Amino acid sequence: MDPSPEIFRLLDLMPASGRMLCKIVNKPQQSTAIESSFPLPWARERPIYINFDLWRKLSRPQRDLLLLRTVSWLLGVKWFKPDLYQGVVIAGLLGTLVELVEGDAVGVVTAGGLTALAGVQIWRSTHRSDREIEADQAAIQIALRRGYNEPEAARHLLSAIETVATLEGRPGLDFMELIRVQNLRAIAGLSAVGIPEDGIRE
């Protein structure tokens, strides 16, 4: 697969907010089909790394839903929004700067520790199972505007998750993927059992 036309196609598939923040990068050396790192607050772009040798083995609908799901997860990470932990991070950073200027080592350690603790809480909040499922559902909603219907989009994302595990040589799905698959099966109409609201929170 020539990456260039596929990259242009995927960029066109993204919502406008995704095109503004996300960048698709060809990374043939990675062992995964698609990957993205947790975006740091100072990063101007949120790269999505794709191994196009593996990517081409997926069907076009599977590729569409995987890309939309990755974009939805990246867009769901919001560092600067009205929230307790974001406020603590900002206060901690300001406090660290003030203490550095004043040369107070204890104050620097205290403010830095507060900032780090709040940052870890933000990271954990975006890696909960309900956030993963929200990213799947957001991808399906975007897919509806791209000509898919809801059960069809859920089936394509479900099959993509399972196919990627095989392509990457993994023995099976991890715990988070199993939860996502069960939820997608319910959306696709393949199972009457979904994930209860209180069952996806950690």
Side-chain angles (χ1 to χ4, degrees):
M1 173 182 282
D2 180 2
S4 297
E6 177 70 354
I7 288 172
F8 284 122
R9 188 185 76 78
L10 294 174
L11 287 171
D12 190 52
L13 181 71
M14 287 185 196
S17 54
R19 285 192 292 272
M20 288 169 52
L21 275 179
C22 302
K23 178 183 179 183
I24 298 174
V25 179
N26 180 16
K27 194 174 180 184
Q29 68 271 26
Q30 76 183 18
S31 60
T32 53
I34 185 169
E35 193 170 299
S36 58
S37 300
F38 183 75
L40 298 172
W42 54 83
R44 295 184 63 187
E45 293 180 333
R46 299 182 176 190
I48 298 170
Y49 301 103
I50 296 178
N51 177 337
F52 284 96
D53 291 332
L54 295 175
W55 190 252
R56 65 183 173 83
K57 296 177 183 177
L58 297 162
S59 70
R60 182 169 171 165
Q62 287 175 330
R63 298 195 307 262
D64 287 356
L65 268 297
L66 273 180
L67 186 277
L68 291 176
R69 197 271 171 192
T70 303
V71 170
S72 296
W73 182 81
L74 286 170
L75 293 178
V77 178
K78 294 179 172 34
W79 281 95
F80 303 109
K81 65 177 183 179
D83 180 279
L84 172 63
Y85 292 119
Q86 279 81 0
V88 172
V89 167
I90 292 167
L93 286 172
L94 291 173
T96 302
L97 290 173
V98 169
E99 299 300 340
L100 277 171
V101 169
E102 293 181 357
D104 181 358
V106 175
V108 169
V109 171
T110 303
L114 185 65
T115 304
L117 180 63
V120 167
Q121 289 299 324
I122 293 169
W123 184 88
R124 287 182 63 196
S125 73
T126 58
H127 284 77
R128 294 194 323 251
S129 53
D130 55 331
R131 296 288 186 194
E132 299 290 330
I133 287 173
E134 285 170 10
D136 289 344
Q137 292 170 337
I140 290 169
Q141 292 306 307
I142 299 168
L144 297 181
R145 302 194 296 269
R146 302 295 186 266
Y148 293 93
N149 62 50
E150 189 174 47
E152 174 188 40
R155 282 195 300 272
H156 290 311
L157 184 52
L158 167 64
S159 67
I161 293 168
E162 295 171 336
T163 303
V164 162
T166 303
L167 290 176
E168 293 173 357
R170 292 190 272 133
L173 303 178
D174 64 28
F175 178 72
M176 189 67 71
E177 287 171 328
L178 289 170
I179 291 175
R180 292 173 56 207
V181 161
Q182 184 58 45
N183 189 62
L184 290 168
R185 287 178 61 81
I187 295 171
L190 302 174
S191 171
V193 181
I195 305 297
E197 283 295 316
D198 58 352
I200 61 175
R201 298 185 182 278
E202 296 175 353

